[in-house]
Amino acid sequence: MAHPLPQELSVGPRGPLTGTITVPGDKSISHRSLMFAALAVGTSHITGLLEGEDVLATAAALRAMGATIERTGEGTWQVDGVGVGGLLQPATALEMGNSGTSTRLLMGLVASHPITATFTGDASLSGRPMGRVIEPLSQMGADITASPGGTLPLMVRGLCPAVPITYTLPVASAQVKSAVLLAGLNTPGITRVHEPVATRDHSERMLRGFGADITVEESDEGRIIAITGEAELQPQTITVPGDPSSAAFWLVAASIVPGSDILVRNVGLNVTRTGLIAALRLMGADITECDAREVGGEPVADLRVRHATLTAIDVPPDLAPSMIDEYPVLFVAAAFAKGRTVARGAHELRVKESDRIAAMKDALEACGVACEEFEDGLAITGTGGDAIPGGARIASKLDHRIAMSLTVAGLHAAKPVTIDDVSPVATSYPVFYQSLDALTGGAEA
């Protein structure tokens, strides 16, 4: 998947954000709905699917391994699965673009099938470490050859039957957990994952919905997820809720821009994903949940967000797993708070699409915000609600969340903030800038 040409953008104040938007489907759930539907026997129907580049990379890879996947309308897809154990040998390398989720979860699928697959990606993804997935999948019997440093391109030679294992996650990672569980689907016996710190549980919820024999035990030492292999998944009709990681940008934007009052519809509020909302409320954000309901087995609500004066906090480190993707925009919120915000416990940010700690420190300092860098986060001294100086040209590092976070910062900057390349935004939120136009024009999107 070729990366689009760089697209520079300058963002300055546009006045209050007002109106109503609906955020795209949840990226994590979209990936998993395609994968599990591809492993079911029969036809599944998916509505609300995120049609960003990352999810489309997952769809293309599953097609290459035998599943029939068709788009039947906007956000509406039909999948005819091959059954667990039925994946076919792909004829060419699987091009993952920028998607770490696609890569790590699909490695798990291939690991317990009698096929070989080569995974490639763009420059950003090819720099991200895959060792944390290679280790447990190798224990299950997969033969994995990676590039130096445990990166892409890499080749996975699956073993069938694979060996069931009990694996304790060394770091909190839903992707590693899911990769092991997916490998366990086609492995005789019971595969177990012990996570000392709970991570997003979309895989467990959805696998149960597809009919897998999966259990979750809670204890003082964390959670133990056990899946019985050689599963038979049943086709499903899936409604994907709105992505809280996409909603995050609007929660912060409306909080920091004076006069803002917006409604963000259909936001997934799985407890493993709501850390940013908790942190913003601790800072004094005005966020109200409206019409709470359940969509596709996930809690959902509409969120009304109004401008508020934010106050610096020490962000509780135990929130990190439930907001790991939202730290960049949390750093932006801190830049406008009164006092010094300390946000730590986020080691994972070092190995995302970019080193998000270093990238956000450099970006915010260039915009006139005082920062202190730690190995696991940042301390940021905010303006107390005033505009930041801005006026800088920022490198997005091919990272969609850096680009969107700095866009939000530019909305309350004395001088416009220029982002060198916003094209990576298409990986997760293709209509982000249309939504921005709608909110700053008071329209609905």
Side-chain angles (χ1 to χ4, degrees):
M1 182 181 298
H3 200 277
L5 294 174
Q7 182 180 347
E8 184 174 288
L9 182 70
S10 291
V11 182
R14 298 185 176 198
L17 284 75
T18 58
T20 300
I21 62 165
T22 301
V23 293
D26 186 281
K27 186 152 75 83
S28 296
I29 295 175
S30 292
H31 282 301
R32 288 161 174 80
S33 64
L34 288 173
M35 292 182 194
F36 301 156
L39 292 175
V41 177
T43 302
S44 295
H45 300 274
I46 306 168
T47 58
L49 189 84
L50 171 64
E51 295 179 339
E53 292 175 356
D54 282 9
V55 175
L56 297 181
T58 291
L62 293 169
R63 285 192 192 100
M65 291 187 285
T68 301
I69 303 176
E70 298 177 346
R71 185 180 189 267
T72 56
E74 185 174 348
T76 305
W77 293 66
Q78 178 175 300
V79 181
D80 290 297
V82 297
V84 172
L87 293 179
L88 303 178
Q89 173 77 40
T92 60
L94 303 178
E95 172 54 58
M96 296 290 96
N98 190 242
S99 183
T101 303
S102 303
T103 306
R104 294 183 176 119
L105 270 60
L106 289 170
M107 286 172 63
L109 283 186
V110 171
S112 59
H113 280 74
I115 61 176
T116 298
T118 298
F119 293 83
T120 61
D122 68 10
S124 172
L125 180 60
S126 297
R128 297 178 67 180
M130 297 295 158
R132 62 183 56 180
V133 181
I134 292 172
E135 179 184 351
L137 297 182
S138 297
Q139 290 182 24
M140 298 181 77
D143 180 6
I144 302 175
T145 304
S147 297
T151 60
L152 270 59
L154 61 77
M155 179 180 292
V156 180
R157 299 176 183 86
L159 176 67
C160 186
V163 180
I165 63 171
T166 296
Y167 187 72
T168 299
L169 296 178
V171 295
S173 172
Q175 292 181 2
V176 177
K177 171 180 66 176
S178 297
V180 176
L181 294 176
L182 288 173
L185 277 174
N186 197 43
T187 299
I190 299 176
T191 298
R192 296 179 175 86
V193 178
H194 172 217
E195 53 174 12
V197 178
T199 65
R200 56 185 66 176
D201 63 352
H202 303 305
S203 292
E204 297 94 302
R205 287 172 181 255
M206 192 171 290
L207 281 168
R208 188 175 294 115
F210 271 87
D213 183 356
I214 184 168
T215 62
V216 180
E217 295 181 11
E218 305 278 356
S219 72
D220 293 340
E221 288 75 41
R223 303 165 77 232
I224 296 178
I225 304 100
I227 189 162
T228 300
E230 298 181 308
E232 293 186 11
L233 302 188
Q234 305 302 314
Q236 301 295 312
T237 297
I238 303 164
T239 300
V240 180
D243 196 328
S245 296
S246 296
F249 302 102
W250 309 125
L251 305 188
V252 172
S255 295
I256 66 174
V257 177
S260 296
D261 185 349
I262 66 172
L263 185 71
V264 187
R265 286 182 170 161
N266 195 43
V267 182
L269 295 180
N270 183 305
V271 69
T272 64
R273 301 288 300 281
T274 55
L276 178 73
I277 295 175
L280 289 175
R281 284 176 170 157
L282 289 173
M283 299 173 78
D286 184 351
I287 302 172
T288 303
E289 296 174 21
C290 310
D291 189 21
R293 55 201 185 275
E294 189 171 285
V295 174
E298 297 274 350
V300 168
D302 303 333
L303 300 180
R304 185 181 182 187
V305 192
R306 287 170 282 196
H307 171 255
T309 300
L310 301 182
T311 302
I313 62 169
D314 286 349
V315 180
D318 61 0
L319 289 179
S322 61
M323 58 182 264
I324 197 67
D325 286 333
E326 288 73 71
Y327 268 89
V329 79
L330 174 69
F331 295 153
V332 171
F336 295 92
K338 181 180 180 180
R340 184 174 184 263
T341 295
V342 179
R344 303 191 64 171
H347 300 84
E348 280 293 285
L349 297 184
R350 297 287 188 186
V351 292
K352 289 291 188 176
E353 282 83 338
S354 67
D355 179 340
R356 287 178 173 165
I357 294 173
M360 287 303 298
K361 175 180 182 288
D362 291 346
L364 290 173
E365 286 186 334
C367 291
V369 179
C371 302
E372 180 183 355
E373 182 176 350
F374 307 106
E375 180 57 32
D376 60 346
L378 292 176
I380 299 167
T381 302
T383 64
D386 295 336
I388 60 173
R393 185 175 188 274
I394 306 300
S396 70
K397 308 287 188 180
L398 292 178
D399 190 325
H400 54 129
R401 301 203 192 278
I402 300 296
M404 288 185 279
S405 296
L406 270 296
T407 297
V408 171
L411 296 175
H412 195 28
K415 295 181 180 179
V417 175
T418 300
I419 304 157
D420 70 336
D421 186 2
V422 299
S423 62
V425 169
T427 65
S428 67
Y429 200 159
V431 296
F432 176 77
Y433 288 102
Q434 291 95 312
S435 294
L436 176 59
D437 291 340
L439 288 175
T440 51
E444 182 168 341

